[in-house]
Amino acid sequence: MAIRVKQKQESSTVVIWSVLGMMMCALLFLGSRLWKLQVRGKSGFDADFYDQSVRRVRLPAVRGKIYDRNGEVLADSVPNYCIAIYTDEMRAPRSAVANTLELIHRIWQSIGVPPDVSYRDVKRHFALNRSEPLVAWKKLEDAKLGEWQGVFGRWNDERSVPGLKDHDPLSSDRIVIETSELLKVPTSTAANTLELVYEISERIGIPRKVRYQQIVDHIILQKPLPLLAWQNIDDETMAKWADTCSALPGTDIYYQPARTYPFGETNAHLVGFTLAADAIREEEETGEKIHFDMRGIEGRKGLEGTYDDLLEGEPGYKLVRIDASGYHHSDLQVRRPKAGGDLQLTIDENIQRFAMEALLTKQDGEDPNAPVKGACVVIDPNNGDVLAMVSAPSFNPNAYMASARYRMALNKDPYSRTYHRAVFGQYPPGSTFKPITVLGALRESPQYAEVYHDCHNPYYVGKRRMKCWIHSRYGEHGEVDARAALMVSCNVYMFELARELGYEPIRDMAKEFGIGQYAGLFPDLDEPPEQKDSKYGNLPEQSINVIDACNMSIGQGAILASPLQMAMVASTIANGGRLYRPRLVQKWRNSPDDDYNLNPTWAIRQIDAPIEALEIVRGGMHDVVNHEDGSAKSAAVDGVLIAGKTGSAQYKRVVERMVDGRKTNVVEGSVHAWMISYAPYHFPKYAIAMVVEDGVSGGRSIGPRLHDLYTKLFEYDGTLRRGEG
């Protein structure tokens, strides 16, 4: 058999160089692509990596303070010390106790029944008999057992639950956890955090505040931020934490700004309160995205809400690097917050307290079981400074901020405790409006000072019988002029005046006093003073008929005013006719390091009324308190001349009464008891308006209160020695 021998063939040089060239081209192409990606495109990848790993955290500023005129702090920023847990440090440990607690809380959350074992029981179980099952719920009621069976069935439809694989909810009214299974299960960050919360609670001896679901939500939404498990802890709790818990991993003391109101209910409506601010997702000025907001506090009512932009300061920012799981890795850059600005008020905290004490003092004939509902405003008639402004019933702003349950209770409170009656209360002013009526008549017809009208009973306007308050006592005032009509508060005189001169002079004078108009209590501090064209209260432009005009001449009908507006009326009469804008903010500054800016006193207008007319009105108000026939003799204070005008504004209300043994809603007549006043008569220092809802009358309900208030005021300023009034 012939053998064929394969001959060696020489490779072509062309082929070799061609293959080599192709390989080199391929290498050059790969090299260029790598250079493009890793060198030329490096900045783009860096930017993408930076965007994916860096987060912007908004840091709240320390809120500015609110002072009274003497430097007393009415609203202060204080440290809120919290026990914080850093969840990024809670990922590594494996803990069967934590797994058991997490499973218990998942079941608890599903059926709404707390377990029959405590954290201490769970720890003891693993220490003594970790291979035995743990009875977490010993006996469930039928309804809850049904809920549990439904929940467990759904769980097992999706997957076998470690610790519950062998549990049969249909065979027992207990829930048994096979803890041996949980020894081998990886532990979640939420479970480790929950165990740490229980451990801190056990060591310090304070109840757990944070719920399991809150822990889960925090890890999902705010991983780089500390979880504030306890807030507003006291010094004793902080000392216990330092002694027993400071060595625990993942926990520390964290500080954030908080708010406190040293005088509580006295200033609640005026100063207002703060609550947690809404989370911000974008910086207002630059438009940069804010990934996490530490959510400081913001003003919601009163001065806190009105001047929130000044008080809140400027927030700071922190750039943090996070890892692939979203946990905090390191801080890159920090810009510190700038503290908020301060307000100094015209309020005198001592006078504020006097006004509140006087307002809350019950008088004869008032319901002893119901809280006082009303308001009091004290103004310096020489410049419009608001010295006191209180509203009742009040509430505790510190409790309001701290307790959601307290807030919910106030929302359902039948007495509207959060309602600022001094500013926003709208009441018919009743007979306190009569000085305006008389001034309007005397400006229209100066000779009306010599006119007398006969107060007789019965009295008719057309076919309608109209009453003076004295008619209900079967009396008559007889012939009275303007001054006497104010002293005895005669309705018939005002009715006759309105019938003869019409409603227009009364309306025009009421406009001069600012009734129905913007008062300017909360001005824009950066803007020059102005009288805005906005409605405040109600002053009808015209009367429907003569009866309507008569009603409005005595402050009834559609006329509505606030205690603040009526204090402005009293102040204007006291100082001879100059209507001041009520000044509440005396001065302000943008930060604690800046100088104060003055909020100027500003006169809105000079009332166009003859001096003689003002003197008649002032004389009538003098007689109200100091004459033996005056309607408010109870307001008099020995050693000081006081002028005033009482009022009883009638209205209808629905009340619950027992009728034939059953509770029934019935309509009853009631009154808002009023009084405006000023003192001393010749050189006024204080002008006051006070109203009490569902009172008896101005003389009986307000007169004694003003006596107490004026006595304290004049003892406080040195006009009287203590015990003289």
Side-chain angles (χ1 to χ4, degrees):
M1 181 177 180
I3 298 175
R4 187 177 179 180
V5 178
K6 189 175 181 180
Q7 299 293 323
K8 182 179 179 181
Q9 297 181 354
E10 295 290 336
S11 297
S12 171
T13 303
V14 175
V15 172
I16 293 173
W17 283 104
S18 297
V19 171
L20 180 61
M22 292 174 63
M23 292 175 64
M24 292 301 296
C25 288
L27 287 172
L28 286 172
F29 176 76
L30 290 174
S32 66
R33 292 297 298 168
L34 286 172
W35 178 86
K36 184 177 181 180
L37 291 172
Q38 296 187 5
V39 179
R40 200 174 80 176
K42 178 179 181 296
S43 60
F45 285 112
D46 285 347
D48 289 343
F49 176 75
Y50 186 85
D51 289 342
Q52 294 174 18
S53 64
V54 175
R55 295 293 182 265
R56 188 177 179 84
V57 181
R58 185 174 182 268
L59 306 174
V62 175
R63 197 169 178 83
K65 297 182 180 182
I66 300 177
Y67 302 91
D68 85 337
R69 68 187 303 116
N70 302 315
E72 198 78 57
V73 179
L74 307 182
D76 199 0
S77 287
V78 294
N80 170 14
Y81 290 107
C82 311
I83 298 177
I85 296 176
Y86 293 85
T87 54
D88 55 320
E89 299 181 30
M90 306 306 299
R91 290 179 288 169
R94 175 175 290 191
S95 169
V97 172
N99 289 336
T100 304
L101 290 171
E102 181 177 43
L103 182 56
I104 287 174
H105 273 265
R106 291 175 63 195
I107 298 171
W108 184 357
Q109 186 173 301
S110 300
I111 65 176
V113 178
D116 295 320
V117 293
S118 65
Y119 170 63
R120 188 174 296 178
D121 294 332
V122 174
K123 288 180 65 177
R124 187 184 300 113
H125 174 84
F126 279 97
L128 299 177
N129 48 2
R130 57 197 302 172
S131 61
E132 296 294 323
L134 173 68
V135 180
W137 280 264
K138 297 177 181 178
K139 184 176 178 62
L140 290 175
E141 297 178 357
D142 290 343
K144 293 300 178 182
L145 185 61
E147 291 181 21
W148 163 236
Q149 291 168 352
V151 170
F152 185 77
R154 290 195 301 273
W155 280 6
N156 271 350
D157 287 342
E158 299 171 4
R159 62 189 182 278
S160 295
V161 180
L164 296 174
K165 291 179 181 179
D166 299 328
H167 182 73
D168 182 4
L170 298 176
S171 64
S172 173
D173 59 0
R174 305 188 301 171
I175 299 180
V176 179
I177 297 175
E178 297 292 339
T179 53
S180 58
E181 296 179 13
L182 299 176
L183 293 167
K184 310 167 188 177
V185 176
T187 305
S188 69
T189 301
N192 279 323
T193 303
L194 180 63
E195 182 182 7
L196 180 59
V197 169
Y198 270 104
E199 183 64 25
I200 295 172
S201 174
E202 179 82 7
R203 294 189 183 190
I204 297 180
I206 57 176
R208 178 176 55 89
K209 296 289 186 181
V210 64
R211 294 179 288 108
Y212 169 70
Q213 189 59 47
Q214 289 176 297
I215 295 173
V216 173
D217 292 343
H218 178 87
I219 293 173
I220 293 173
L221 301 174
Q222 295 182 304
K223 290 179 184 178
L225 305 183
L227 170 66
L228 306 182
W230 287 271
Q231 298 192 42
N232 294 301
I233 61 172
D234 55 26
D235 293 342
E236 181 181 356
T237 302
M238 195 184 309
K240 288 182 179 178
W241 179 91
D243 187 43
T244 62
C245 301
S246 57
L248 291 173
T251 180
D252 202 351
I253 296 295
Y254 185 87
Y255 153 82
Q256 63 179 8
R259 205 67 163 163
T260 186
Y261 303 98
F263 297 97
E265 296 189 8
T266 305
N267 301 306
H269 300 94
L270 174 65
V271 175
F273 52 83
T274 58
L275 291 175
D278 295 330
I280 295 176
R281 295 304 176 198
E282 187 176 282
E283 189 176 353
E284 295 180 2
E285 295 180 0
T286 64
E288 292 187 68
K289 184 175 180 180
I290 297 172
H291 300 88
F292 302 105
D293 190 349
M294 286 302 290
R295 294 184 64 194
I297 53 178
E298 66 179 4
R300 295 295 179 92
K301 292 289 184 180
L303 292 167
E304 290 275 28
T306 302
Y307 298 111
D308 184 62
D309 289 344
L310 171 72
L311 294 166
E312 70 174 348
E314 296 181 11
Y317 296 94
K318 178 169 65 172
L319 297 180
V320 299
R321 188 180 297 282
I322 61 173
D323 62 17
S325 300
Y327 289 95
H328 180 211
H329 186 268
S330 62
D331 292 343
L332 299 179
Q333 183 180 342
V334 177
R335 192 187 83 185
R336 298 295 179 187
K338 181 182 177 182
D342 301 325
L343 293 173
Q344 184 158 7
L345 308 182
T346 59
I347 294 292
D348 186 315
E349 180 55 33
N350 291 299
I351 299 178
Q352 184 87 348
R353 176 169 50 86
F354 299 156
M356 180 63 87
E357 291 171 351
L359 182 62
L360 295 180
T361 303
K362 286 287 185 72
Q363 302 301 323
D364 292 341
E366 297 177 14
D367 186 349
N369 300 314
V372 173
K373 294 185 293 182
C376 179
V377 179
V378 183
I379 290 180
D380 183 343
N382 301 296
N383 55 18
D385 281 1
V386 180
L387 303 177
M389 179 180 286
V390 297
S391 183
S394 191
F395 65 98
N396 187 335
N398 297 304
Y400 194 95
M401 294 185 299
S403 171
R405 181 175 297 178
Y406 184 75
R407 293 195 294 272
M408 291 178 63
L410 286 179
N411 289 336
K412 299 176 182 178
D413 184 83
Y415 302 108
S416 303
R417 294 177 185 273
T418 58
Y419 185 48
H420 194 179
R421 290 170 166 84
V423 176
F424 302 111
Q426 298 293 306
Y427 306 93
S431 294
T432 59
F433 188 77
K434 288 176 180 176
I436 295 177
T437 299
V438 171
L439 279 173
L442 294 178
R443 183 173 67 175
E444 178 74 11
S445 178
Q447 64 271 22
Y448 219 87
E450 307 299 327
V451 172
Y452 284 77
H453 289 298
D454 180 26
C455 174
H456 56 275
N457 184 22
Y459 174 82
Y460 290 91
V461 177
K463 295 182 179 180
R464 181 166 178 175
R465 185 173 181 177
M466 305 283 283
K467 288 186 177 182
C468 185
W469 65 269
I470 200 171
H471 295 172
S472 301
R473 302 180 184 181
Y474 306 101
E476 299 176 339
H477 287 130
E479 295 282 339
V480 291
D481 61 3
R483 178 166 177 164
L486 289 174
M487 176 183 71
V488 298
S489 197
C490 180
N491 288 352
V492 171
Y493 184 93
M494 305 301 158
F495 297 157
E496 287 291 310
L497 183 156
R499 294 174 72 179
E500 290 186 14
L501 301 180
Y503 171 66
E504 288 74 15
I506 302 171
R507 177 203 63 202
D508 293 344
M509 183 57 67
K511 282 185 176 180
E512 296 252 341
F513 276 90
I515 301 298
Q517 302 166 33
Y518 170 77
L521 184 66
F522 305 113
D524 295 328
L525 298 176
D526 290 322
E527 301 294 330
E530 64 172 331
Q531 186 62 19
K532 297 180 181 178
D533 184 18
S534 58
K535 187 176 179 180
Y536 180 36
N538 188 53
L539 179 66
E541 280 297 316
Q542 59 187 10
S543 59
I544 299 172
N545 49 44
V546 66
I547 292 175
D548 191 38
C550 288
N551 279 328
M552 289 192 287
S553 73
I554 61 171
Q556 295 279 173
I559 293 178
L560 296 174
S562 69
L564 171 63
Q565 286 176 308
M566 296 312 296
M568 294 167 64
V569 170
S571 174
T572 304
I573 294 172
N575 66 35
R578 177 161 292 186
L579 178 67
Y580 283 103
R581 177 187 69 178
R583 187 172 70 149
L584 184 57
V585 178
Q586 187 178 58
K587 52 187 179 179
W588 53 277
R589 58 186 176 187
N590 290 313
S591 76
D593 298 326
D594 293 345
D595 294 330
Y596 274 105
N597 303 287
L598 182 66
N599 181 34
T601 295
W602 187 60
I604 298 173
R605 68 178 68 91
Q606 180 70 31
I607 302 300
D608 181 17
I611 295 298
E612 297 79 9
L614 276 169
E615 286 305 311
I616 289 173
V617 168
R618 286 163 57 89
M621 294 177 68
H622 167 277
D623 297 343
V624 164
V625 178
N626 301 288
H627 194 280
E628 61 180 2
D629 294 329
S631 58
K633 293 183 293 182
S634 57
V637 174
D638 291 340
V640 180
L641 280 181
I642 297 171
K645 182 69 193 80
T646 56
S648 302
Q650 299 176 352
Y651 75 105
K652 300 291 185 181
R653 62 171 180 167
V654 178
V655 296
E656 193 177 76
R657 293 284 185 258
M658 294 296 295
V659 179
D660 297 330
R662 294 187 304 176
K663 289 183 178 180
T664 305
N665 288 334
V666 297
V667 177
E668 291 184 350
S670 189
V671 299
H672 296 317
W674 275 98
M675 188 166 175
I676 61 173
S677 69
Y678 63 89
Y681 176 72
H682 295 291
F683 303 100
K685 296 168 65 176
Y686 309 105
I688 302 176
M690 185 182 289
V691 63
V692 170
E693 298 179 20
D694 305 325
V696 179
S697 67
R700 291 178 60 186
S701 299
I702 310 298
R705 286 180 164 96
L706 283 185
H707 168 83
D708 294 343
L709 177 54
Y710 274 123
T711 299
K712 291 178 180 177
L713 283 175
F714 289 118
E715 288 178 349
Y716 174 61
D717 68 17
T719 301
L720 296 176
R721 286 183 295 182
R722 194 168 299 276
E724 282 186 350

